[in-house]
Amino acid sequence: MSNERSRTSRINGRPRPKVSPNRRRARCRPVLLAVLLGVASAATAQTSFLEVTPPADPYFVTPPEEDFWVNAVAPADVDGDGDLDFAAIGFYVVYNVSAEDRLVLFINDGPDPGGGGWSFSHQLLPMGSLTAGASDLAWADFDADADYDLAVGSDGATVIYRNDAGVLTPLDGALPGYWEDSGYTGAYDLRSLTWADADNDGDQDLLIPSVFDPDTSSMRTVLMRNDGASGSGWLFTDAAATIDPTVHAQSAWADDDSDGDLDLFLVNVDPYIGTGFVRRFGNDGGAFTASDLLAVRVEYGLADWGDCDGDGDLDILVSGNIQEADGTYDTVLRLYRNDGGSYTETTLIDAPNADWLDLHAATWADYDSDGDVDLLVTGNFVGAVDIEGKSDIFSNDGGVFTALGVNLPAPISSVGRGGTFTWFDLDADGDLDYLVAGAYYVPGGNGLVEARMHLYRNEAGLENLAPTAPTGLTAAPGSGGVALSWTPAEDDSTPPESITYDLDLRAVGGAPMGVGRPPEPGDVSAVTSWLLTGLAPGSYVWSVRAVDSAFNAGPVAEGTLTVAGESLFSDGFESGDLGAWSTSVP
């Protein structure tokens, strides 16, 4: 039996903790956490985190006897002003009075002019059939109008909110209902719903894992193909992709085999019936073929793709309680380094050693802006009185990871969903800041718990410059489509092999590529060429920009192409079909 299963029980419904009226006074003061570390260059910089939790924000610091229990957060530039806002879904509780499901946009208003923290304004979105249960959020510009739209999945419903100049409105039309079996504790939502151009037609499709099919009483993983505007609405069609079902998923997309389309990394976290897997679904013209990447099965926690050694191929991170190939159980933070498709494992934490009791989640990000991806890991440890949560950073120096002992705050996992966290560039200075929300013990509260949100600004001593614009944009006939290519961008710290790219396609005269992108790798991964297929006749602008390992995006380079005659390459390519192309760069 796993460690987590022996210590916790499945929790259904909402937490009903008691709270102390004085519970928040200690955390309204900014706190400075400093860490010394070596960086990739010969220079040494001091990196610190300054708490900028807004002391007067009614969601971050709720009144006595009230709490905002957050189940998922996701950053993006909602209002198009160039800085990152974020969405949060959860339920707002007034104890012994009410509990209300809420989907809230936190609009970034910059430093509080009165001092003492950051400032946000709030927008409540209509939830309709959504509830704030097992939830996930994902941003993308699915309608190519230069702002980011939001997909929300929760408790058997999936809704897309279309963004028009900062106003988000739910789309009409039924989507398969996202229903994640994550009532067990310690569940963190890190990229379950994901957007990706799975069919190479230049727009964003939506992957919805963990869909319950009432006709078969079984789960499905559904890829919804974006088929464009339909009257006053938008059309999404089930692509009938052969992708294995999940009950609690993480997903990521990248061109893993360098064939010009996006492959799917899918993890099924399953502590109950033993169907868990860590798989790659190779994409070949929209047909997906499954292959097991690891022999382990994740029971609690997650797995994710990332390039930890800067060699251009994708390594695997696993964090949490796993079943090994021999049937035994371990609680680990582990890397599987990819060398030509062969994976070499390195265990960074083997709990309950190294002051960790449980490990719940981890994520890649270059927090110190030195060009390689570091790790943020979160879990529990045995405190003086209670089991407490903590997060730590593992700094990456040339592929060697070292725990810094930062001890950032993290939720405990014994209440409700366990919590959520994200890296994002709050202050638009090129480095990554830290937002965390979840359940915490009330100091001196004899086991009572409360909901908290914390916000920490990264006070890094090194400047992180954005990558340069790609150059040498070309468009030419390709195998069944038009082949795009560009010369790699340059960056002050991220190696060329690890730079990822966003690719955008829209009609001439349409809105340009949006700013304030979500904190994630580029949407076509670390490539310098791409294939577009099935384009209707017309003139198009295609745009590409580079993204470094701290998710800092560079300027946009643009090219144009014109498709003449029938839908491009639908009946085989003829040179006359590609009417013209040109490029321009900033």
Side-chain angles (χ1 to χ4, degrees):
M1 179 177 289
S2 71
N3 294 336
E4 185 78 28
R5 291 160 87 179
S6 65
R7 281 191 298 275
T8 62
S9 62
R10 184 181 175 99
I11 295 177
N12 294 310
R14 296 165 174 162
R16 293 170 294 176
K18 297 179 181 178
V19 292
S20 165
N22 299 317
R23 70 195 190 277
R24 300 181 193 278
R25 292 176 181 171
R27 69 181 179 91
C28 290
R29 300 188 301 269
V31 178
L32 185 65
L33 300 176
V35 183
L36 292 176
L37 70 157
V39 296
S41 67
T44 299
Q46 176 171 313
T47 299
S48 59
F49 287 88
L50 176 70
E51 182 165 12
V52 291
T53 302
D57 190 293
Y59 286 100
F60 278 88
V61 184
T62 56
E65 307 300 329
E66 300 180 20
D67 272 316
F68 182 43
W69 294 92
V70 179
N71 291 339
V73 298
D77 183 6
V78 175
D79 52 5
D81 64 353
D83 58 25
L84 289 179
D85 318 293
F86 69 93
I89 188 170
F91 43 89
Y92 196 96
V93 177
V94 181
Y95 293 105
N96 301 315
V97 177
S98 63
E100 179 184 337
D101 299 297
R102 292 188 184 181
L103 177 58
V104 186
L105 296 181
F106 289 77
I107 304 302
N108 187 344
D109 294 328
D112 187 341
W118 214 255
S119 178
F120 296 91
S121 53
H122 313 110
Q123 296 179 20
L124 278 176
L125 297 182
M127 296 190 67
S129 61
L130 288 170
T131 60
S135 310
D136 197 34
L137 310 171
W139 294 95
D141 183 10
F142 80 87
D143 54 0
D145 66 349
D147 50 29
Y148 288 94
D149 312 291
L150 180 64
V152 184
S154 185
D155 283 352
T158 307
V159 176
I160 295 173
Y161 290 80
R162 187 174 181 179
N163 186 352
D164 290 302
V167 178
L168 272 68
T169 304
L171 287 179
D172 293 331
L175 290 170
Y178 170 90
W179 196 299
E180 202 166 64
D181 187 3
S182 52
Y184 59 86
T185 61
Y188 284 71
D189 275 319
L190 295 176
R191 294 176 302 276
S192 184
L193 292 174
T194 46
W195 294 92
D197 182 11
D199 54 1
N200 286 63
D201 65 350
D203 57 26
Q204 297 292 306
D205 312 301
L206 180 62
L207 182 78
I208 309 176
S210 309
V211 171
F212 180 72
D213 186 344
D215 294 332
T216 62
S217 298
S218 61
M219 305 298 287
R220 297 178 60 212
T221 296
V222 180
L223 178 62
M224 298 300 293
R225 187 180 63 241
N226 183 348
D227 285 333
S230 176
S232 60
W234 210 267
L235 181 61
F236 286 88
T237 305
D238 188 340
T242 306
I243 302 173
D244 292 344
T246 62
V247 293
H248 180 79
Q250 289 102 39
S251 62
W253 296 84
D255 185 8
D256 184 50
D257 52 8
S258 302
D259 66 347
D261 53 25
L262 292 173
D263 308 298
L264 172 64
F265 178 83
L266 188 65
V267 183
N268 184 30
V269 180
D270 177 16
Y272 303 123
I273 57 178
T275 62
F277 56 76
V278 179
R279 287 182 184 147
R280 172 189 179 275
F281 290 83
N283 184 358
D284 184 11
F288 291 88
T289 303
S291 58
D292 286 310
L293 296 180
L294 303 178
V296 302
R297 181 169 63 85
V298 183
E299 284 215 327
Y300 296 91
L302 57 79
D304 195 12
W305 255 346
D307 182 9
C308 72
D309 50 7
D311 63 354
D313 58 23
L314 292 167
D315 312 299
I316 300 175
L317 165 69
V318 174
S319 179
N321 187 257
I322 65 172
Q323 185 180 31
E324 305 278 15
D326 63 3
T328 61
Y329 292 91
D330 286 300
T331 300
V332 296
L333 177 67
R334 184 178 291 171
L335 298 175
Y336 292 85
R337 195 181 309 270
N338 182 0
D339 293 303
S342 177
Y343 294 91
T344 303
E345 71 178 58
T346 300
T347 298
L348 301 178
I349 299 175
D350 189 0
N353 301 315
D355 299 324
W356 294 89
L357 180 62
D358 287 314
L359 300 169
H360 302 135
T363 187
W364 308 96
D366 181 13
Y367 95 98
D368 54 4
S369 302
D370 66 349
D372 49 28
V373 289
D374 312 293
L375 293 176
L376 175 69
V377 59
T378 189
N380 284 349
F381 71 103
V382 179
V385 178
D386 298 305
I387 295 176
E388 300 178 24
K390 72 170 182 176
S391 289
D392 199 1
I393 293 171
F394 279 72
S395 179
N396 183 358
D397 185 8
V400 177
F401 288 83
T402 304
L404 298 180
V406 176
N407 199 25
L408 288 166
I412 58 176
S413 66
S414 57
V415 176
R417 298 269 300 149
T420 185
F421 68 93
T422 186
W423 290 113
F424 78 112
D425 188 0
L426 169 74
D427 49 4
D429 64 350
D431 59 28
L432 292 168
D433 311 296
Y434 175 55
L435 171 69
V436 63
Y440 293 80
Y441 283 115
V442 177
N446 195 28
L448 302 181
V449 293
E450 62 182 346
R452 297 185 196 169
M453 296 174 67
H454 286 286
L455 184 60
Y456 286 83
R457 192 175 68 196
N458 187 346
E459 301 287 282
L462 290 178
E463 182 181 15
N464 180 30
L465 300 177
T468 63
T471 58
L473 277 65
T474 63
S479 176
V482 54
L484 309 177
S485 63
W486 54 91
T487 301
E490 297 180 354
D491 188 68
D492 58 338
S493 57
T494 303
E497 296 81 5
S498 296
I499 294 175
T500 58
Y501 295 88
D502 286 330
L503 182 66
D504 181 80
L505 180 75
R506 58 196 69 215
V508 168
M513 183 183 287
V515 298
R517 62 186 307 280
E520 58 193 23
D523 57 23
V524 293
S525 68
V527 300
T528 55
S529 62
W530 202 248
L531 182 70
L532 291 174
T533 61
L535 298 184
S539 296
Y540 297 89
V541 175
W542 63 282
S543 307
V544 62
R545 67 182 167 200
V547 181
D548 71 13
S549 54
F551 310 137
N552 195 8
V556 174
E558 290 186 346
T560 61
L561 61 89
T562 299
V563 178
E566 299 297 322
S567 181
L568 184 58
F569 316 128
S570 59
D571 299 313
F573 174 74
E574 297 180 7
S575 59
D577 290 339
L578 185 59
W581 62 269
S582 62
T583 64
S584 62
V585 296

